[in-house]
Amino acid sequence: MGPRVQPGRDDLGSTYLQAHPRGMEWLQLEATVAALTFEQLARLAETWVNDRPRQQARRRAIAALGFTHGRIASRWVRWADTFGLPHPPLTAEPTDILDHPYRLVDDDEVGIYVAGLLPLYDAALAILASDHTTGGDYELLSASWRRVCLPSRFTPATLYGPHTQTALASLSSACRFPRSCLTRMVRARRAISTDDWDSAADTVHQAALKLGFPYRGKCLYWEAVASAETAMDQSPAHPELAHALWGYAAVQVFAGQLPTESAAMLATPYRAGGRTRPPA
């Protein structure tokens, strides 16, 4: 029986990616997901072919992933939320979770949309299994992604736009905050009603849509989840802490794109930790 999947810590580990021959390419895949446009999604859908050679290459890639099955399956859980897809069952075996998005293409309600996303899933498998499978499998599974999404004007250092580094620094710094600071953030987030927070958060996703990058806000949120788990050294961490980290990072990424009231609310929990200057 394989490891059960947790929807949180799925960054594969920096040590793993640094040692992997295509670790940097994985980071580029993440950058293209955050910068994915609806035009690219349509073009990816046009390339989708679920023929026998691809099915066999996919099976070989999944089998080659070995101990990383649980980690990759957890990424599928994250992507289901990011892309708004039906959620895979968390109690299933990791290999069954990895098959889950491919079964959705037969669903009349989401089939065409899913067909545009599956080349990204194939590329993920191809990149991570490339050191254990043939070069032909890598080429076959990653071709659509490379043709449609590369070269990209965004890199792992700019995947959220010009304010990427400032936003990511605010997330990574949380691991150095004392527990009392994190606790104040959680309390400040809990003091904001769910309706008010959701309304402010929606302005982030609307801003992402307006800029033409519909998944940017969600991708940033999952970066915040990982940072919250690292800061608390537990998985899952308090969702309120992930909200606090995400809200402040989102205000930075979408600087000048959000209503003033929404930006102030989203930044409030992080500021409550006492690690930033109050707004002018």
Side-chain angles (χ1 to χ4, degrees):
M1 181 176 291
R4 296 302 181 185
V5 175
Q6 295 295 327
R9 292 183 178 177
D10 72 328
D11 63 352
L12 300 175
S14 59
T15 301
Y16 174 78
L17 289 178
Q18 288 171 4
H20 195 284
R22 294 190 183 274
M24 285 304 299
E25 192 170 1
W26 173 266
L27 297 180
Q28 186 61 62
L29 173 64
E30 290 186 320
T32 58
V33 169
L36 189 68
T37 68
F38 286 135
E39 178 185 3
Q40 288 175 321
L41 189 61
R43 290 168 58 197
L44 286 169
E46 292 174 355
T47 71
W48 171 249
V49 178
N50 193 29
D51 57 15
R52 187 170 180 79
R54 286 174 176 78
Q55 293 172 2
Q56 293 174 333
R58 194 177 301 126
R59 295 274 72 76
R60 287 190 291 268
I62 290 175
L65 289 172
F67 80 96
T68 61
H69 271 169
R71 287 173 162 181
I72 305 305
S74 187
R75 174 56 56 125
W76 272 209
V77 172
R78 175 190 286 206
W79 277 4
D81 177 70
T82 299
F83 298 136
L85 298 179
H87 211 279
L90 292 179
T91 56
E93 292 298 309
T95 51
D96 292 331
I97 294 178
L98 293 180
D99 278 334
H100 178 76
Y102 298 99
R103 294 194 295 269
L104 297 177
V105 77
D106 296 324
D107 187 327
D108 291 338
E109 292 185 4
V110 297
I112 295 177
Y113 175 65
V114 172
L117 296 171
L118 291 181
L120 301 176
Y121 287 85
D122 274 352
L125 294 176
I127 291 169
L128 293 176
S130 61
D131 55 340
H132 297 293
T133 57
T134 68
D137 286 351
Y138 167 81
E139 296 294 335
L140 185 62
L141 293 174
S142 66
S144 293
W145 166 67
R146 288 185 287 111
R147 184 164 63 252
V148 173
C149 299
L150 299 180
S152 172
R153 63 190 178 97
F154 296 102
T155 69
T158 63
L159 76 168
Y160 298 115
H163 305 293
T164 296
Q165 292 306 303
T166 302
L168 294 183
S170 73
L171 296 180
S172 63
S173 63
C175 69
R176 299 186 296 275
F177 292 168
R179 186 59 63 97
S180 59
C181 173
L182 303 177
T183 298
R184 288 195 295 272
M185 290 183 184
V186 170
R187 289 174 177 169
R189 168 59 190 91
R190 288 176 177 171
I192 301 173
S193 74
T194 299
D195 288 344
D196 287 344
W197 182 266
D198 288 348
S199 179
D202 186 60
T203 66
V204 172
H205 302 305
Q206 292 301 318
L209 279 171
K210 187 175 181 179
L211 289 173
F213 307 113
Y215 306 111
R216 183 168 279 179
K218 274 290 188 179
C219 288
L220 182 64
Y221 169 74
W222 283 102
E223 297 255 21
V225 169
S227 294
E229 290 175 340
T230 299
M232 297 291 290
D233 193 26
Q234 66 183 55
S235 179
H238 292 298
E240 294 89 353
L241 181 59
H243 289 179
L245 299 181
W246 174 77
Y248 190 72
V251 169
Q252 294 170 313
V253 166
F254 296 96
Q257 306 292 323
L258 306 177
T260 302
E261 297 79 3
S262 296
M265 180 178 295
L266 291 169
T268 292
Y270 191 101
R271 291 190 182 281
R275 294 287 161 163
T276 64
R277 295 179 180 179

